[in-house]
Amino acid sequence: MSKYVWIKTQDGSPTLWNNDIGEPFRSAKGAFHESLIVFVKPAIEFAQQLILNGKTEINVGEFGLGAGTNWVLFSCLAQHLKIPFKYFAIEQDTESYELARLKWSEEKILIQEKIKEHLGLDAKLNIESLPQPEIFPSLKIFSDEFVKRNKKCDIWFHDPFGSGVNPEGYTEETLQLCSINWGKPCIGLSYACNGAFQQALKSLGLTVNTRLLNSPPLKREALEFKTH
């Protein structure tokens, strides 16, 4: 049996299922819905504000690239809205992303439809021309390289598998290493909201808020945190 298989989620959008751990990469309630509402919409709004304030290029970091759903949706919108950006990701196993690269081109029409449904934009997409993310095999290698380059992230997608599957992805020690890469200001976004994760973020001096989604059938809340 293959390690990964494509499944159709409730909103008609695809995500990969990981047979080794019995979990989907994105919510089975709606893969594109989750990615757009939890991660991409607030990230794009934050990026637009930074550009208005004089920022010339947005650095996006993602801890847990997976199949690259956040990457493709954010990149499509940034391309459409003419937001200059670079996308960096931490992912040890890139097999799922390599499988998905072809899939996203095939799903161009669906991506356009979901962007219009959830964000109200008639986006003109050229998925084949999107710049690929720069992928690092571990958080430490990523952090060391970012320090060397004197770079900081403006947007951070904290998106490893959930805390029940990958608890070390949400510890204070892990978040401390992540925070080395966050600029001021930087917005962090996650679908995980558990108390231990929130407390670990607060211990780093961050502003932490649960964001009411009001977007069924997704769960009610997502997490937003900011440096200041």
Side-chain angles (χ1 to χ4, degrees):
M1 180 186 291
S2 172
K3 181 177 178 180
Y4 300 115
V5 62
W6 287 104
I7 63 169
K8 183 178 283 191
T9 62
Q10 285 182 30
D11 72 347
S13 61
T15 192
L16 280 175
W17 178 273
N18 186 323
N19 282 312
D20 285 357
I21 61 175
E23 292 279 347
F25 279 88
R26 293 254 69 90
S27 173
K29 295 179 180 179
F32 289 177
H33 186 174
E34 176 198 353
S35 182
L36 285 165
I37 297 302
V38 174
F39 295 97
V40 175
K41 184 176 187 289
I44 286 289
E45 290 171 350
F46 190 75
Q48 288 177 311
Q49 190 59 53
L50 290 180
I51 295 294
L52 284 175
N53 291 338
K55 188 85 175 176
T56 56
E57 184 174 73
I58 305 298
N59 290 320
V60 183
E62 180 164 23
F63 184 33
L65 176 66
T69 313
N70 289 339
W71 162 76
V72 73
L73 293 172
F74 178 91
S75 299
C76 282
L77 278 162
Q79 181 189 66
H80 174 73
L81 296 168
K82 300 187 180 353
I83 298 171
F85 73 98
K86 288 187 177 173
Y87 203 105
F88 306 89
I90 300 102
E91 182 58 67
Q92 184 177 17
D93 179 5
T94 60
E95 182 184 351
S96 57
Y97 172 70
E98 294 302 330
L99 283 171
R101 283 177 61 181
L102 293 174
K103 185 73 168 177
W104 300 144
S105 293
E106 295 169 1
E107 297 291 350
K108 177 180 175 179
I109 300 303
L110 181 62
I111 290 172
Q112 288 177 316
E113 289 173 352
K114 293 302 176 184
I115 287 174
K116 185 172 184 180
E117 177 184 346
H118 295 298
L119 277 70
L121 290 174
D122 283 312
K124 303 296 183 283
L125 308 183
N126 188 355
I127 293 174
E128 292 76 17
S129 72
L130 294 177
Q132 299 300 309
E134 186 173 353
I135 305 173
F136 298 83
S138 75
L139 178 56
K140 185 177 187 312
I141 291 171
F142 169 74
S143 297
D144 288 347
E145 185 61 29
F146 247 47
V147 169
K148 249 191 269 184
R149 298 186 197 180
N150 195 29
K151 291 184 80 69
K152 296 288 184 181
C153 289
D154 306 295
I155 294 165
W156 185 262
F157 295 149
H158 200 79
D159 199 26
F161 272 112
S163 55
V165 175
N166 180 24
E168 58 273 14
Y170 298 86
T171 64
E172 186 173 343
E173 181 181 10
T174 295
L175 293 168
Q176 184 70 55
L177 188 54
C178 291
S179 69
I180 295 168
N181 310 293
W182 300 340
K184 294 183 179 180
C186 174
I187 189 173
L189 299 157
S190 180
Y191 203 25
C193 293
N194 69 80
F197 179 34
Q198 292 191 49
Q199 190 54 48
L201 289 166
K202 288 176 182 176
S203 73
L204 300 178
L206 305 173
T207 300
V208 181
N209 295 302
T210 52
R211 182 164 56 93
L212 291 175
L213 298 179
N214 192 28
S215 193
L218 300 184
K219 67 182 187 182
R220 292 181 64 249
E221 295 177 337
L223 204 66
E224 176 181 296
F225 50 94
K226 290 182 179 177
T227 62
H228 50 80

